C-alpha cells in the first residue's frame, strides 16, 4: 500500500481501536464513512455506539452514514490526519469534502480519538551491523599496550566469521578467522545479537552451551573492558533510576572459642597455626578441636608456612559476594587450595590469589601470604596470596 509521510491510510484505521477513548464517547451514536481515492486509498466505516468503536473496511457502497469524508487521494487524507496539510486548504481546493455535518466531525473526532502519530521505524539490529561499528565503541585508553585478536564464528542466519584485532591502541575488524587468535567465540548470530542488546545473559549463554570459547578465557572476559557497551538504537530511553549503594554492617561480636581463638591470635602475629591429632598426627587447618577421623581431642598446635604451593584452584567469572565481607568481587578471581609448608599432605586451606598473578597461576605455583599493614586477628589480616617468581 502506498505510503505518504511515513505511513499508510490503513495504518490510521488499524490504530483507531487503540486510540479510541470510550469515556469521552458517552451518548455518541454516529456512523462515519471514509472514501479515499487513488493509490493506497480505500473505503472504511467507523461506527461509534454505546461507547464502543467499530472499524471495518467496505467494498462497494458505504451505505447510510451520519457523515462521510471523501478524499481525492491517500496523500491528502494522510496529510490532513497528520496536520501536515491544512484541512481548510484541502476542502477549499476540492481535494477533500465532507457530506454531512462538518462542524460535528471537527469537534467529535478529536474528542473521542487520540491524535494519530507515525510510529517510529525500528532499525534492524544484526550481528554484522554490531560488529561493523566495533571501532566506534573501542576504548583505546583501556587497551594501552594490549595486542589481542578476537575471533567470532557466528552461525545461522546473519552469521559469518570475523576477526577483531587490537594493537597499538587501535581496533580493526575484518571478515574471516586469523590463525593466531587469542580466543575464538562460537555461537549463533541471534545469540550474539541477544547478548549485545541485553536480551540474553552472557553467563547463562555460556553455561548453557550456547556460547563456546576456545582459547584464553581471560581475554574473552576482558572484552567488556576494551569496548563501550553496545546501545540498541531501538531501545526506549530508560527512566533514570536513583540508587544508593550501602554495605550493611551489624555492630556485634562473636565468640570463636579457644581453638579458633588460637588461629586468629596467630594471624595477628602473621602466623598460621594448625592443631595436631595425637593419634594420626595430621595437621588440621583451620584448627579443629576434634579429629574427625580419630574422634579424639586435639591439644597440640604447630606453625605452618608461611609459604606453600597451589594444589588446585577455581578461576571464577561470576561476580559472587565475598562471604567474609559481603562485597561483590571483581571478576575474574581465583580461589586456590593452598598447601602450607609443614602441613600433612592433603590438609590445605582455600584462599584468594592476587588478581595480577592470575595469568601465571597454575597447579604447583609457589605462593606466600600478603598481610594487612596492621593485623588485628581476623581473616582480613590476609589480603591474598601472591605467586613467588
Amino acid at each position: 500500500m502506498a505510503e505518504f509521510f511515513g505511513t499508510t491510510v490503513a495504518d490510521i484505521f488499524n490504530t483507531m481501536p487503540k486510540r479510541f477513548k470510550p469515556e469521552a464517547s458517552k451518548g455518541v451514536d454516529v456512523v462515519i464513512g471514509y472514501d479515499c481515492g487513488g493509490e493506497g486509498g480505500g473505503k472504511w466505516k467507523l461506527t461509534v455506539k454505546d461507547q464502543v468503536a467499530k472499524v471495518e473496511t467496505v467494498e462497494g457502497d458505504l451505505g447510510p452514514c451520519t457523515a462521510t469524508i471523501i478524499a481525492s487521494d491517500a496523500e491528502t487524507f494522510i496529510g490532513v490526519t497528520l496536520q501536515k496539510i491544512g484541512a481548510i486548504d484541502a476542502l477549499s481546493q476540492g481535494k477533500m469534502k465532507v457530506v454531512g455535518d462538518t462542524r460535528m466531525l471537527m469537534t467529535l473526532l478529536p474528542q473521542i480519538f487520540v491524535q494519530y502519530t507515525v510510529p517510529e521505524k525500528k532499525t534492524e539490529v544484526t550481528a554484522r551491523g554490531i560488529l561493523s561499528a566495533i571501532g566506534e565503541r573501542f576504548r583505546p585508553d583501556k587497551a594501552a599496550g594490549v595486542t589481542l585478536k578476537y575471533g567470532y564464528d557466528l552461525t545461522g542466519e546473519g552469521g559469518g566469521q570475523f576477526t577483531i584485532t587490537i594493537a597499538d591502541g587501535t581496533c580493526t575488524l575484518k571478515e574471516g578467522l586469523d590463525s593466531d587468535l587469542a580466543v575464538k567465540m562460537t555461537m549463533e548470530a541471534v545469540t550474539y545479537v541477544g547478548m549485545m542488546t541485553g536480551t540474553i545473559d552472557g553467563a547463562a549463554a555460556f553455561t548453557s552451551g550456547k556460547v563456546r570459547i576456545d582459547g584464553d578465557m581471560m581475554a574473552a572476559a576482558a572484552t567488556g573492558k576494551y569496548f563501550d557497551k553496545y546501545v540498541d538504537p531501538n531501545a526506549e530511553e530508560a527512566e533514570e533510576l536513583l540508587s544508593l549503594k550501602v554495605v550493611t554492617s551489624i555492630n556485634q561480636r562473636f565468640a570463636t572459642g579457644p581453638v579458633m581463638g588460637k588461629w586468629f591470635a596467630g594471624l595477628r602475629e602473621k602466623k598460621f597455626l594448625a592443631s595436631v591429632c595425637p593419634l594420626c598426627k595430621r595437621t588440621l587447618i583451620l584448627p579443629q578441636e576434634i579429629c574427625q577421623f580419630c574422634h579424639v581431642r586435639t591439644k597440640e598446635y604447630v606453625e605452618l608456612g608461611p609459604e606453600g604451593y597451589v594444589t588446585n584452584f577455581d578461576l571464577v567469572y561470576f561476580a559472587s559476594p565475598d562471604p567474609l565481607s559481603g562485597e561483590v568481587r571483581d571478576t575474574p578471581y581465583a580461589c586456590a587450595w593452598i598447601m602450607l609448608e609443614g602441613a600433612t599432605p592433603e590438609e590445605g586451606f582455600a584462599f584468594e590469589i592476587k588478581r595480577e598473578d592470575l595469568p601465571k597461576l597454575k597447579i604447583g605455583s609457589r605462593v606466600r601470604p600478603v598481610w594487612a599493614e596492621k593485623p588485628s586477628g581476623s581473616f582480613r589480616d590476609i589480603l591474598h596470596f601472591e605467586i613467588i617468581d
Side-chain angles (χ1 to χ4, degrees):
M1 179 167 281
E3 186 175 291
F4 299 95
F5 303 106
T7 190
T8 67
V9 176
D11 289 339
I12 295 172
F13 286 101
N14 290 339
T15 60
M16 270 189 162
K18 288 186 177 180
R19 294 187 290 113
F20 181 60
K21 298 187 289 186
E23 70 281 1
S25 67
K26 189 174 182 180
V28 175
D29 185 358
V30 296
V31 177
I32 302 174
Y34 295 86
D35 186 350
C36 183
E39 184 182 2
K43 294 181 181 180
W44 286 264
K45 182 185 287 185
L46 167 66
T47 303
V48 179
K49 186 177 182 180
D50 299 331
Q51 295 182 278
V52 175
K54 179 182 178 183
V55 181
E56 55 189 322
T57 57
V58 176
E59 299 292 338
D61 187 65
L62 285 168
C65 297
T66 309
T68 302
I69 299 174
I70 303 171
S72 61
D73 54 77
E75 182 177 8
T76 298
F77 181 82
I78 295 172
V80 171
T81 301
L82 295 176
Q83 300 178 351
K84 302 288 186 183
I85 298 174
I88 300 300
D89 293 338
L91 290 169
S92 62
Q93 294 171 7
K95 291 186 175 181
M96 179 176 283
K97 70 177 182 179
V98 175
V99 178
D101 189 341
T102 304
R103 180 171 297 179
M104 180 273 291
L105 287 179
M106 296 182 68
T107 305
L108 177 65
L109 294 179
Q111 173 189 328
I112 63 175
F113 286 101
V114 174
Q115 172 66 38
Y116 176 76
T117 56
V118 180
E120 291 187 11
K121 302 287 185 184
K122 289 193 173 183
T123 304
E124 183 182 7
V125 178
T126 64
R128 186 177 293 272
I130 295 172
L131 284 167
S132 63
I134 195 75
E136 299 172 10
R137 297 189 288 115
F138 180 57
R139 304 173 66 185
D141 57 315
K142 300 294 183 182
V146 174
T147 300
L148 272 177
K149 282 189 177 181
Y150 290 100
Y152 285 89
D153 188 358
L154 306 180
T155 61
E157 184 177 354
Q161 293 181 322
F162 305 89
T163 296
I164 298 174
T165 301
I166 298 176
D168 301 324
T170 64
C171 172
T172 58
L173 172 75
K174 73 172 186 179
E175 293 208 33
L177 293 173
D178 283 0
S179 59
D180 56 345
L181 298 173
V183 61
K184 184 180 78 171
M185 289 171 270
T186 304
M187 69 195 86
E188 290 189 3
V190 67
T191 300
Y192 177 76
V193 172
M195 289 167 54
M196 290 297 101
T197 56
T199 59
I200 295 177
D201 178 73
F206 175 69
T207 55
S208 64
K210 290 185 176 179
V211 177
R212 194 181 78 209
I213 299 177
D214 298 309
D216 189 342
M217 294 286 288
M218 295 188 64
T223 53
K225 173 182 175 183
Y226 302 135
F227 300 97
D228 286 330
K229 185 179 179 182
Y230 175 76
V231 178
D232 184 350
N234 299 317
E236 296 181 0
E237 188 172 350
E239 181 182 357
E240 182 182 6
L241 298 178
L242 299 179
S243 64
L244 178 62
K245 295 184 179 180
V246 176
V247 177
T248 55
S249 177
I250 302 174
N251 185 22
Q252 56 183 324
R253 300 184 63 184
F254 295 92
T256 59
V259 177
M260 286 303 296
K262 285 188 177 293
W263 164 261
F264 287 115
L267 294 182
R268 190 183 299 122
E269 299 176 0
K270 300 183 179 180
K271 295 179 180 178
F272 297 114
L273 296 180
S275 59
V276 181
C277 174
L279 296 182
C280 67
K281 303 299 182 184
R282 291 187 306 120
T283 57
L284 307 177
I285 187 168
L286 307 178
Q288 299 174 27
E289 187 172 2
I290 304 292
C291 173
Q292 69 269 42
F293 295 135
C294 304
H295 301 168
V296 296
R297 192 174 300 279
T298 62
K299 297 181 179 178
E300 181 186 356
Y301 293 87
V302 295
E303 181 180 348
L304 303 179
E307 296 181 1
Y309 63 93
V310 174
T311 61
N312 209 339
F313 64 88
D314 291 321
L315 194 57
V316 184
Y317 291 86
F318 179 69
S320 60
D322 185 336
L324 299 179
S325 67
E327 298 175 356
V328 176
R329 292 174 281 200
D330 293 333
T331 58
Y333 65 89
C335 189
W337 195 251
I338 298 168
M339 189 68 62
L340 295 174
E341 292 174 338
T344 305
E346 300 183 358
E347 293 297 334
F349 79 110
F351 215 86
E352 289 189 27
I353 299 296
K354 184 180 179 182
R355 292 197 70 209
E356 290 78 1
D357 288 349
L358 296 187
K360 53 185 178 182
L361 176 62
K362 62 180 184 291
I363 294 176
S365 293
R366 294 284 301 173
V367 293
R368 63 190 170 205
V370 177
W371 297 93
E373 185 176 351
K374 295 181 179 179
S376 59
S378 77
F379 270 109
R380 294 179 186 275
D381 293 343
I382 315 171
L383 300 181
H384 45 245
F385 277 76
E386 65 179 3
I387 295 177
I388 303 171
D389 293 329

